[in-house]
Amino acid sequence: MEKFWILIFLLTAHLLRPTVGMAQQDQLIKAGNYLHALKEEANDLAKKPDAKLKQKGFAKVYRDSYSRVLEKIDSLEEKIAVFRGEETLEEANRLIEVYSLLETIRKQIEGYELHEVEISKNEIVTIKFTDFSEKLTEATNRKTEILNLAAEMHYNAGTKLDAEGGQSGSKDHFKAAAREYARAIKLVPGFRDCQERYEASRANAIKRIMIMPFNNRSGQDQFGDLGSILATGVVVKLQADPSVMEFLDIVTEAEIRNALSQGGYASYDASLSSTTAQQLATSLNVEEIWMGDISQVIVPTPTVTDQGTKTKTMSIKVGERTVPIPDKPGKTRTENVYADMSATYKIYNVASTVEMRGSTSLIYADPKRAPVTQQFAKTDIWGDNYTTMISGTQEVYDSFMDPKAPLPSLGIRLNNMIEGQSNDIYKIIRQDVVDPEIPMTMNHTGTP
């Protein structure tokens, strides 16, 4: 009897298997994913091309999906007939994808010689796929045309921005022009003289800046030159960001030292006046100087707060005893003896806050532009709980005790705050270099 039910289970599972697959394809069709449904059913048919159930499953999906796929093709063909920039390119790629997949399915089904399939007593589905090989070639050629049209569109936009930049002297125009040429190159490598124009526009768009060590006036000198560490952190972050460095040139320390030496200025440190910094900027052909100071590091005594008292009880082994073994006269065994023991403990919270204060100044080489100075305050907060036993059993207390965590060193905490401030300055510079972009309105012919 057991074998009979096993056989029934296996037979049911076999019969339901295509039904489950069909349910999945039905869901795809309901969601409008007709081509996906056709592809999945074709892949399922490929496992057993001679199986009647799989042939019926494919025929049903073909009946419900193929005409819809042809409608999608007509829609895509109509859309790519009118150029609308990258949007048309996306549609061309989609059309090529549809043609390629249909050709794969067509060749696959032709190999099975599957032409007419009876899916019910009253319905026979005739399976006939259109040969889209020529259409695929046409679509591929059309994509090439669209790529060139899109590249031409960005090229024209770049030349217009270049001309406007030449008139206004705006680096943002040159920057936007360089980006347009870069887009054209990405679409069609080697397009016209885009590479040369990109390099020229980029050179006109580059901003040259100088980042000086911050003046550490906090008295915390035992952890290294905090001001240099802060400035170096900004430089490292900027240099690691390709989108920034495309349009940014940072003066090296060697260049600064050389200019200071030749100009008879003070030694390379953070104590330059804004006037000296402007003079130095002029000699180095720099537009902006970033400098500042770390004025104060406040390290108050950690505060300890009483969080209350608690008691914990647990079963502890207190000894052993010998007991007779049941049903074995004269035999004994040793067993452990336990007792409930307690420990009462006090909970404390220790908190420590370190604050670093200072200012950041942006000095412009142009003396007509007033320097911009902004105060900053960075805070590092640390806290932890710990306990001390008041009374009770040491073993109970030791099983859960929360020892006092070591307070992080002041050097580590200062570095954390310096990292935060250097990141803030990096973001400001990045926003100024990367974000500004001149908006362009393109018409459908690719002319800005």
PDB file of all heavy atoms in Angstrom, residues 70-102:
ATOM      1  N   LEU A  70       5.601  41.435 -31.716  1.00  0.00           N
ATOM      2  CA  LEU A  70       5.640  42.117 -33.012  1.00  0.00           C
ATOM      3  C   LEU A  70       5.148  43.560 -32.890  1.00  0.00           C
ATOM      4  O   LEU A  70       5.670  44.468 -33.546  1.00  0.00           O
ATOM      5  CB  LEU A  70       4.792  41.353 -34.034  1.00  0.00           C
ATOM      6  CG  LEU A  70       5.268  39.930 -34.387  1.00  0.00           C
ATOM      7  CD1 LEU A  70       4.357  39.310 -35.430  1.00  0.00           C
ATOM      8  CD2 LEU A  70       6.713  39.933 -34.857  1.00  0.00           C
ATOM      9  N   GLU A  71       4.149  43.773 -32.031  1.00  0.00           N
ATOM     10  CA  GLU A  71       3.664  45.136 -31.785  1.00  0.00           C
ATOM     11  C   GLU A  71       4.759  45.991 -31.144  1.00  0.00           C
ATOM     12  O   GLU A  71       4.926  47.172 -31.467  1.00  0.00           O
ATOM     13  CB  GLU A  71       2.429  45.099 -30.885  1.00  0.00           C
ATOM     14  CG  GLU A  71       1.189  44.509 -31.550  1.00  0.00           C
ATOM     15  CD  GLU A  71       0.039  44.344 -30.561  1.00  0.00           C
ATOM     16  OE1 GLU A  71       0.194  44.764 -29.386  1.00  0.00           O
ATOM     17  OE2 GLU A  71      -1.013  43.798 -30.953  1.00  0.00           O
ATOM     18  N   LYS A  72       5.493  45.380 -30.221  1.00  0.00           N
ATOM     19  CA  LYS A  72       6.601  46.093 -29.569  1.00  0.00           C
ATOM     20  C   LYS A  72       7.667  46.468 -30.591  1.00  0.00           C
ATOM     21  O   LYS A  72       8.230  47.580 -30.545  1.00  0.00           O
ATOM     22  CB  LYS A  72       7.207  45.203 -28.475  1.00  0.00           C
ATOM     23  CG  LYS A  72       8.388  45.817 -27.744  1.00  0.00           C
ATOM     24  CD  LYS A  72       7.978  47.032 -26.949  1.00  0.00           C
ATOM     25  CE  LYS A  72       9.129  47.557 -26.114  1.00  0.00           C
ATOM     26  NZ  LYS A  72       8.761  48.792 -25.379  1.00  0.00           N
ATOM     27  N   ILE A  73       7.939  45.573 -31.526  1.00  0.00           N
ATOM     28  CA  ILE A  73       8.918  45.850 -32.579  1.00  0.00           C
ATOM     29  C   ILE A  73       8.471  47.050 -33.408  1.00  0.00           C
ATOM     30  O   ILE A  73       9.261  47.964 -33.694  1.00  0.00           O
ATOM     31  CB  ILE A  73       9.111  44.608 -33.470  1.00  0.00           C
ATOM     32  CG1 ILE A  73       9.893  43.528 -32.708  1.00  0.00           C
ATOM     33  CG2 ILE A  73       9.841  44.974 -34.766  1.00  0.00           C
ATOM     34  CD1 ILE A  73      10.012  42.228 -33.455  1.00  0.00           C
ATOM     35  N   ASP A  74       7.199  47.061 -33.804  1.00  0.00           N
ATOM     36  CA  ASP A  74       6.687  48.185 -34.593  1.00  0.00           C
ATOM     37  C   ASP A  74       6.836  49.504 -33.841  1.00  0.00           C
ATOM     38  O   ASP A  74       7.197  50.537 -34.431  1.00  0.00           O
ATOM     39  CB  ASP A  74       5.206  47.948 -34.932  1.00  0.00           C
ATOM     40  CG  ASP A  74       5.009  46.807 -35.922  1.00  0.00           C
ATOM     41  OD1 ASP A  74       5.992  46.457 -36.626  1.00  0.00           O
ATOM     42  OD2 ASP A  74       3.886  46.254 -35.986  1.00  0.00           O
ATOM     43  N   SER A  75       6.568  49.453 -32.545  1.00  0.00           N
ATOM     44  CA  SER A  75       6.681  50.665 -31.728  1.00  0.00           C
ATOM     45  C   SER A  75       8.126  51.153 -31.663  1.00  0.00           C
ATOM     46  O   SER A  75       8.405  52.360 -31.795  1.00  0.00           O
ATOM     47  CB  SER A  75       6.152  50.389 -30.317  1.00  0.00           C
ATOM     48  OG  SER A  75       6.368  51.493 -29.465  1.00  0.00           O
ATOM     49  N   LEU A  76       9.053  50.217 -31.466  1.00  0.00           N
ATOM     50  CA  LEU A  76      10.467  50.593 -31.387  1.00  0.00           C
ATOM     51  C   LEU A  76      10.969  51.108 -32.731  1.00  0.00           C
ATOM     52  O   LEU A  76      11.737  52.080 -32.791  1.00  0.00           O
ATOM     53  CB  LEU A  76      11.304  49.394 -30.924  1.00  0.00           C
ATOM     54  CG  LEU A  76      11.178  49.000 -29.459  1.00  0.00           C
ATOM     55  CD1 LEU A  76      11.860  47.659 -29.196  1.00  0.00           C
ATOM     56  CD2 LEU A  76      11.769  50.073 -28.547  1.00  0.00           C
ATOM     57  N   GLU A  77      10.563  50.472 -33.798  1.00  0.00           N
ATOM     58  CA  GLU A  77      10.961  50.926 -35.136  1.00  0.00           C
ATOM     59  C   GLU A  77      10.487  52.358 -35.372  1.00  0.00           C
ATOM     60  O   GLU A  77      11.211  53.194 -35.929  1.00  0.00           O
ATOM     61  CB  GLU A  77      10.358  49.992 -36.201  1.00  0.00           C
ATOM     62  CG  GLU A  77      10.994  48.620 -36.287  1.00  0.00           C
ATOM     63  CD  GLU A  77      12.266  48.627 -37.118  1.00  0.00           C
ATOM     64  OE1 GLU A  77      12.768  49.729 -37.428  1.00  0.00           O
ATOM     65  OE2 GLU A  77      12.764  47.541 -37.444  1.00  0.00           O
ATOM     66  N   GLU A  78       9.283  52.647 -34.948  1.00  0.00           N
ATOM     67  CA  GLU A  78       8.731  53.989 -35.126  1.00  0.00           C
ATOM     68  C   GLU A  78       9.490  55.019 -34.305  1.00  0.00           C
ATOM     69  O   GLU A  78       9.762  56.135 -34.755  1.00  0.00           O
ATOM     70  CB  GLU A  78       7.253  53.976 -34.730  1.00  0.00           C
ATOM     71  CG  GLU A  78       6.537  55.296 -34.963  1.00  0.00           C
ATOM     72  CD  GLU A  78       5.071  55.224 -34.584  1.00  0.00           C
ATOM     73  OE1 GLU A  78       4.515  54.099 -34.501  1.00  0.00           O
ATOM     74  OE2 GLU A  78       4.465  56.287 -34.367  1.00  0.00           O
ATOM     75  N   LYS A  79       9.873  54.624 -33.082  1.00  0.00           N
ATOM     76  CA  LYS A  79      10.564  55.557 -32.188  1.00  0.00           C
ATOM     77  C   LYS A  79      11.963  55.899 -32.685  1.00  0.00           C
ATOM     78  O   LYS A  79      12.380  57.061 -32.634  1.00  0.00           O
ATOM     79  CB  LYS A  79      10.634  54.971 -30.774  1.00  0.00           C
ATOM     80  CG  LYS A  79       9.308  54.989 -30.039  1.00  0.00           C
ATOM     81  CD  LYS A  79       9.445  54.376 -28.656  1.00  0.00           C
ATOM     82  CE  LYS A  79       8.117  54.430 -27.894  1.00  0.00           C
ATOM     83  NZ  LYS A  79       8.221  53.800 -26.562  1.00  0.00           N
ATOM     84  N   ILE A  80      12.713  54.877 -33.137  1.00  0.00           N
ATOM     85  CA  ILE A  80      14.097  55.160 -33.527  1.00  0.00           C
ATOM     86  C   ILE A  80      14.171  55.860 -34.879  1.00  0.00           C
ATOM     87  O   ILE A  80      15.257  56.269 -35.309  1.00  0.00           O
ATOM     88  CB  ILE A  80      14.964  53.884 -33.546  1.00  0.00           C
ATOM     89  CG1 ILE A  80      14.543  52.944 -34.678  1.00  0.00           C
ATOM     90  CG2 ILE A  80      14.945  53.180 -32.208  1.00  0.00           C
ATOM     91  CD1 ILE A  80      15.517  51.792 -34.885  1.00  0.00           C
ATOM     92  N   ALA A  81      13.036  56.000 -35.546  1.00  0.00           N
ATOM     93  CA  ALA A  81      13.033  56.724 -36.822  1.00  0.00           C
ATOM     94  C   ALA A  81      13.296  58.206 -36.605  1.00  0.00           C
ATOM     95  O   ALA A  81      13.739  58.917 -37.510  1.00  0.00           O
ATOM     96  CB  ALA A  81      11.706  56.520 -37.546  1.00  0.00           C
ATOM     97  N   VAL A  82      13.009  58.698 -35.383  1.00  0.00           N
ATOM     98  CA  VAL A  82      13.232  60.099 -35.043  1.00  0.00           C
ATOM     99  C   VAL A  82      14.315  60.174 -33.979  1.00  0.00           C
ATOM    100  O   VAL A  82      14.182  59.594 -32.897  1.00  0.00           O
ATOM    101  CB  VAL A  82      11.934  60.762 -34.521  1.00  0.00           C
ATOM    102  CG1 VAL A  82      12.189  62.228 -34.185  1.00  0.00           C
ATOM    103  CG2 VAL A  82      10.828  60.633 -35.553  1.00  0.00           C
ATOM    104  N   PHE A  83      15.400  60.870 -34.261  1.00  0.00           N
ATOM    105  CA  PHE A  83      16.515  60.945 -33.324  1.00  0.00           C
ATOM    106  C   PHE A  83      16.200  61.891 -32.174  1.00  0.00           C
ATOM    107  O   PHE A  83      15.809  63.037 -32.379  1.00  0.00           O
ATOM    108  CB  PHE A  83      17.776  61.417 -34.051  1.00  0.00           C
ATOM    109  CG  PHE A  83      18.947  61.617 -33.139  1.00  0.00           C
ATOM    110  CD1 PHE A  83      19.563  60.532 -32.525  1.00  0.00           C
ATOM    111  CD2 PHE A  83      19.413  62.887 -32.861  1.00  0.00           C
ATOM    112  CE1 PHE A  83      20.624  60.721 -31.672  1.00  0.00           C
ATOM    113  CE2 PHE A  83      20.483  63.082 -32.014  1.00  0.00           C
ATOM    114  CZ  PHE A  83      21.094  61.994 -31.417  1.00  0.00           C
ATOM    115  N   ARG A  84      16.390  61.375 -30.946  1.00  0.00           N
ATOM    116  CA  ARG A  84      16.156  62.160 -29.734  1.00  0.00           C
ATOM    117  C   ARG A  84      17.289  61.957 -28.742  1.00  0.00           C
ATOM    118  O   ARG A  84      17.076  61.829 -27.538  1.00  0.00           O
ATOM    119  CB  ARG A  84      14.813  61.777 -29.092  1.00  0.00           C
ATOM    120  CG  ARG A  84      13.604  61.966 -29.978  1.00  0.00           C
ATOM    121  CD  ARG A  84      12.306  61.575 -29.294  1.00  0.00           C
ATOM    122  NE  ARG A  84      12.384  60.264 -28.661  1.00  0.00           N
ATOM    123  CZ  ARG A  84      12.344  59.109 -29.317  1.00  0.00           C
ATOM    124  NH1 ARG A  84      12.260  59.095 -30.641  1.00  0.00           N
ATOM    125  NH2 ARG A  84      12.423  57.962 -28.690  1.00  0.00           N
ATOM    126  N   GLY A  85      18.494  61.914 -29.271  1.00  0.00           N
ATOM    127  CA  GLY A  85      19.651  61.783 -28.398  1.00  0.00           C
ATOM    128  C   GLY A  85      19.814  60.382 -27.838  1.00  0.00           C
ATOM    129  O   GLY A  85      19.458  59.387 -28.473  1.00  0.00           O
ATOM    130  N   GLU A  86      20.356  60.291 -26.624  1.00  0.00           N
ATOM    131  CA  GLU A  86      20.645  58.995 -26.001  1.00  0.00           C
ATOM    132  C   GLU A  86      19.388  58.148 -25.791  1.00  0.00           C
ATOM    133  O   GLU A  86      19.468  56.927 -25.709  1.00  0.00           O
ATOM    134  CB  GLU A  86      21.366  59.186 -24.664  1.00  0.00           C
ATOM    135  CG  GLU A  86      22.885  59.206 -24.761  1.00  0.00           C
ATOM    136  CD  GLU A  86      23.428  60.563 -25.135  1.00  0.00           C
ATOM    137  OE1 GLU A  86      22.638  61.401 -25.626  1.00  0.00           O
ATOM    138  OE2 GLU A  86      24.642  60.790 -24.967  1.00  0.00           O
ATOM    139  N   GLU A  87      18.231  58.803 -25.705  1.00  0.00           N
ATOM    140  CA  GLU A  87      16.987  58.056 -25.559  1.00  0.00           C
ATOM    141  C   GLU A  87      16.769  57.151 -26.777  1.00  0.00           C
ATOM    142  O   GLU A  87      16.369  55.989 -26.648  1.00  0.00           O
ATOM    143  CB  GLU A  87      15.812  59.020 -25.410  1.00  0.00           C
ATOM    144  CG  GLU A  87      14.470  58.324 -25.214  1.00  0.00           C
ATOM    145  CD  GLU A  87      13.312  59.296 -25.113  1.00  0.00           C
ATOM    146  OE1 GLU A  87      13.560  60.515 -25.011  1.00  0.00           O
ATOM    147  OE2 GLU A  87      12.157  58.838 -25.154  1.00  0.00           O
ATOM    148  N   THR A  88      17.057  57.681 -27.960  1.00  0.00           N
ATOM    149  CA  THR A  88      16.925  56.882 -29.181  1.00  0.00           C
ATOM    150  C   THR A  88      17.935  55.749 -29.197  1.00  0.00           C
ATOM    151  O   THR A  88      17.641  54.642 -29.672  1.00  0.00           O
ATOM    152  CB  THR A  88      17.126  57.773 -30.424  1.00  0.00           C
ATOM    153  OG1 THR A  88      16.325  58.938 -30.297  1.00  0.00           O
ATOM    154  CG2 THR A  88      16.733  57.036 -31.697  1.00  0.00           C
ATOM    155  N   LEU A  89      19.113  56.001 -28.666  1.00  0.00           N
ATOM    156  CA  LEU A  89      20.137  54.956 -28.611  1.00  0.00           C
ATOM    157  C   LEU A  89      19.685  53.799 -27.728  1.00  0.00           C
ATOM    158  O   LEU A  89      19.889  52.625 -28.066  1.00  0.00           O
ATOM    159  CB  LEU A  89      21.448  55.544 -28.086  1.00  0.00           C
ATOM    160  CG  LEU A  89      22.634  54.589 -27.993  1.00  0.00           C
ATOM    161  CD1 LEU A  89      22.971  54.021 -29.366  1.00  0.00           C
ATOM    162  CD2 LEU A  89      23.844  55.301 -27.397  1.00  0.00           C
ATOM    163  N   GLU A  90      19.062  54.120 -26.608  1.00  0.00           N
ATOM    164  CA  GLU A  90      18.536  53.065 -25.731  1.00  0.00           C
ATOM    165  C   GLU A  90      17.485  52.229 -26.448  1.00  0.00           C
ATOM    166  O   GLU A  90      17.449  51.000 -26.315  1.00  0.00           O
ATOM    167  CB  GLU A  90      17.940  53.696 -24.466  1.00  0.00           C
ATOM    168  CG  GLU A  90      18.966  54.338 -23.544  1.00  0.00           C
ATOM    169  CD  GLU A  90      18.326  55.038 -22.367  1.00  0.00           C
ATOM    170  OE1 GLU A  90      17.087  54.912 -22.211  1.00  0.00           O
ATOM    171  OE2 GLU A  90      19.050  55.711 -21.607  1.00  0.00           O
ATOM    172  N   GLU A  91      16.625  52.904 -27.221  1.00  0.00           N
ATOM    173  CA  GLU A  91      15.583  52.170 -27.954  1.00  0.00           C
ATOM    174  C   GLU A  91      16.193  51.303 -29.050  1.00  0.00           C
ATOM    175  O   GLU A  91      15.725  50.189 -29.311  1.00  0.00           O
ATOM    176  CB  GLU A  91      14.590  53.174 -28.538  1.00  0.00           C
ATOM    177  CG  GLU A  91      13.746  53.857 -27.472  1.00  0.00           C
ATOM    178  CD  GLU A  91      13.119  55.153 -27.943  1.00  0.00           C
ATOM    179  OE1 GLU A  91      13.468  55.607 -29.060  1.00  0.00           O
ATOM    180  OE2 GLU A  91      12.293  55.718 -27.199  1.00  0.00           O
ATOM    181  N   ALA A  92      17.247  51.799 -29.702  1.00  0.00           N
ATOM    182  CA  ALA A  92      17.925  51.012 -30.733  1.00  0.00           C
ATOM    183  C   ALA A  92      18.562  49.765 -30.131  1.00  0.00           C
ATOM    184  O   ALA A  92      18.502  48.670 -30.708  1.00  0.00           O
ATOM    185  CB  ALA A  92      18.987  51.867 -31.430  1.00  0.00           C
ATOM    186  N   ASN A  93      19.158  49.904 -28.975  1.00  0.00           N
ATOM    187  CA  ASN A  93      19.745  48.744 -28.288  1.00  0.00           C
ATOM    188  C   ASN A  93      18.671  47.725 -27.930  1.00  0.00           C
ATOM    189  O   ASN A  93      18.877  46.508 -28.052  1.00  0.00           O
ATOM    190  CB  ASN A  93      20.479  49.188 -27.016  1.00  0.00           C
ATOM    191  CG  ASN A  93      21.817  49.833 -27.310  1.00  0.00           C
ATOM    192  OD1 ASN A  93      22.492  49.458 -28.271  1.00  0.00           O
ATOM    193  ND2 ASN A  93      22.212  50.793 -26.504  1.00  0.00           N
ATOM    194  N   ARG A  94      17.530  48.227 -27.495  1.00  0.00           N
ATOM    195  CA  ARG A  94      16.421  47.342 -27.136  1.00  0.00           C
ATOM    196  C   ARG A  94      15.913  46.587 -28.370  1.00  0.00           C
ATOM    197  O   ARG A  94      15.631  45.376 -28.311  1.00  0.00           O
ATOM    198  CB  ARG A  94      15.293  48.156 -26.507  1.00  0.00           C
ATOM    199  CG  ARG A  94      14.041  47.357 -26.157  1.00  0.00           C
ATOM    200  CD  ARG A  94      14.324  46.256 -25.167  1.00  0.00           C
ATOM    201  NE  ARG A  94      13.126  45.506 -24.819  1.00  0.00           N
ATOM    202  CZ  ARG A  94      13.118  44.275 -24.397  1.00  0.00           C
ATOM    203  NH1 ARG A  94      14.248  43.605 -24.270  1.00  0.00           N
ATOM    204  NH2 ARG A  94      11.980  43.676 -24.089  1.00  0.00           N
ATOM    205  N   LEU A  95      15.815  47.290 -29.495  1.00  0.00           N
ATOM    206  CA  LEU A  95      15.344  46.656 -30.724  1.00  0.00           C
ATOM    207  C   LEU A  95      16.310  45.560 -31.176  1.00  0.00           C
ATOM    208  O   LEU A  95      15.887  44.468 -31.579  1.00  0.00           O
ATOM    209  CB  LEU A  95      15.184  47.706 -31.826  1.00  0.00           C
ATOM    210  CG  LEU A  95      14.618  47.207 -33.158  1.00  0.00           C
ATOM    211  CD1 LEU A  95      13.226  46.605 -32.960  1.00  0.00           C
ATOM    212  CD2 LEU A  95      14.577  48.338 -34.178  1.00  0.00           C
ATOM    213  N   ILE A  96      17.598  45.830 -31.097  1.00  0.00           N
ATOM    214  CA  ILE A  96      18.602  44.822 -31.461  1.00  0.00           C
ATOM    215  C   ILE A  96      18.489  43.608 -30.542  1.00  0.00           C
ATOM    216  O   ILE A  96      18.572  42.453 -30.977  1.00  0.00           O
ATOM    217  CB  ILE A  96      20.014  45.435 -31.389  1.00  0.00           C
ATOM    218  CG1 ILE A  96      20.205  46.454 -32.507  1.00  0.00           C
ATOM    219  CG2 ILE A  96      21.090  44.346 -31.470  1.00  0.00           C
ATOM    220  CD1 ILE A  96      21.481  47.250 -32.411  1.00  0.00           C
ATOM    221  N   GLU A  97      18.254  43.880 -29.262  1.00  0.00           N
ATOM    222  CA  GLU A  97      18.095  42.784 -28.292  1.00  0.00           C
ATOM    223  C   GLU A  97      16.882  41.915 -28.649  1.00  0.00           C
ATOM    224  O   GLU A  97      16.948  40.683 -28.605  1.00  0.00           O
ATOM    225  CB  GLU A  97      17.940  43.372 -26.892  1.00  0.00           C
ATOM    226  CG  GLU A  97      17.750  42.332 -25.799  1.00  0.00           C
ATOM    227  CD  GLU A  97      17.433  42.947 -24.441  1.00  0.00           C
ATOM    228  OE1 GLU A  97      17.505  44.188 -24.322  1.00  0.00           O
ATOM    229  OE2 GLU A  97      17.089  42.190 -23.512  1.00  0.00           O
ATOM    230  N   VAL A  98      15.768  42.565 -29.029  1.00  0.00           N
ATOM    231  CA  VAL A  98      14.550  41.825 -29.383  1.00  0.00           C
ATOM    232  C   VAL A  98      14.780  40.987 -30.640  1.00  0.00           C
ATOM    233  O   VAL A  98      14.457  39.789 -30.668  1.00  0.00           O
ATOM    234  CB  VAL A  98      13.370  42.796 -29.597  1.00  0.00           C
ATOM    235  CG1 VAL A  98      12.155  42.051 -30.142  1.00  0.00           C
ATOM    236  CG2 VAL A  98      13.010  43.493 -28.293  1.00  0.00           C
ATOM    237  N   TYR A  99      15.357  41.604 -31.660  1.00  0.00           N
ATOM    238  CA  TYR A  99      15.628  40.872 -32.896  1.00  0.00           C
ATOM    239  C   TYR A  99      16.561  39.682 -32.656  1.00  0.00           C
ATOM    240  O   TYR A  99      16.349  38.589 -33.179  1.00  0.00           O
ATOM    241  CB  TYR A  99      16.243  41.806 -33.938  1.00  0.00           C
ATOM    242  CG  TYR A  99      15.247  42.686 -34.663  1.00  0.00           C
ATOM    243  CD1 TYR A  99      15.595  43.974 -35.079  1.00  0.00           C
ATOM    244  CD2 TYR A  99      13.967  42.232 -34.949  1.00  0.00           C
ATOM    245  CE1 TYR A  99      14.690  44.779 -35.759  1.00  0.00           C
ATOM    246  CE2 TYR A  99      13.044  43.033 -35.623  1.00  0.00           C
ATOM    247  CZ  TYR A  99      13.424  44.312 -36.022  1.00  0.00           C
ATOM    248  OH  TYR A  99      12.519  45.091 -36.689  1.00  0.00           O
ATOM    249  N   SER A 100      17.607  39.914 -31.875  1.00  0.00           N
ATOM    250  CA  SER A 100      18.596  38.852 -31.617  1.00  0.00           C
ATOM    251  C   SER A 100      17.952  37.670 -30.909  1.00  0.00           C
ATOM    252  O   SER A 100      18.188  36.508 -31.262  1.00  0.00           O
ATOM    253  CB  SER A 100      19.751  39.400 -30.774  1.00  0.00           C
ATOM    254  OG  SER A 100      20.432  40.426 -31.449  1.00  0.00           O
ATOM    255  N   LEU A 101      17.112  37.963 -29.918  1.00  0.00           N
ATOM    256  CA  LEU A 101      16.476  36.893 -29.157  1.00  0.00           C
ATOM    257  C   LEU A 101      15.455  36.140 -30.015  1.00  0.00           C
ATOM    258  O   LEU A 101      15.371  34.901 -29.972  1.00  0.00           O
ATOM    259  CB  LEU A 101      15.804  37.471 -27.914  1.00  0.00           C
ATOM    260  CG  LEU A 101      15.271  36.464 -26.888  1.00  0.00           C
ATOM    261  CD1 LEU A 101      16.335  35.447 -26.511  1.00  0.00           C
ATOM    262  CD2 LEU A 101      14.773  37.198 -25.648  1.00  0.00           C
ATOM    263  N   LEU A 102      14.701  36.869 -30.825  1.00  0.00           N
ATOM    264  CA  LEU A 102      13.726  36.216 -31.696  1.00  0.00           C
ATOM    265  C   LEU A 102      14.415  35.322 -32.727  1.00  0.00           C
ATOM    266  O   LEU A 102      13.924  34.242 -33.058  1.00  0.00           O
ATOM    267  CB  LEU A 102      12.867  37.268 -32.407  1.00  0.00           C
ATOM    268  CG  LEU A 102      11.761  37.916 -31.573  1.00  0.00           C
ATOM    269  CD1 LEU A 102      11.044  38.974 -32.376  1.00  0.00           C
ATOM    270  CD2 LEU A 102      10.775  36.879 -31.046  1.00  0.00           C
TER     271      LEU A 102
END
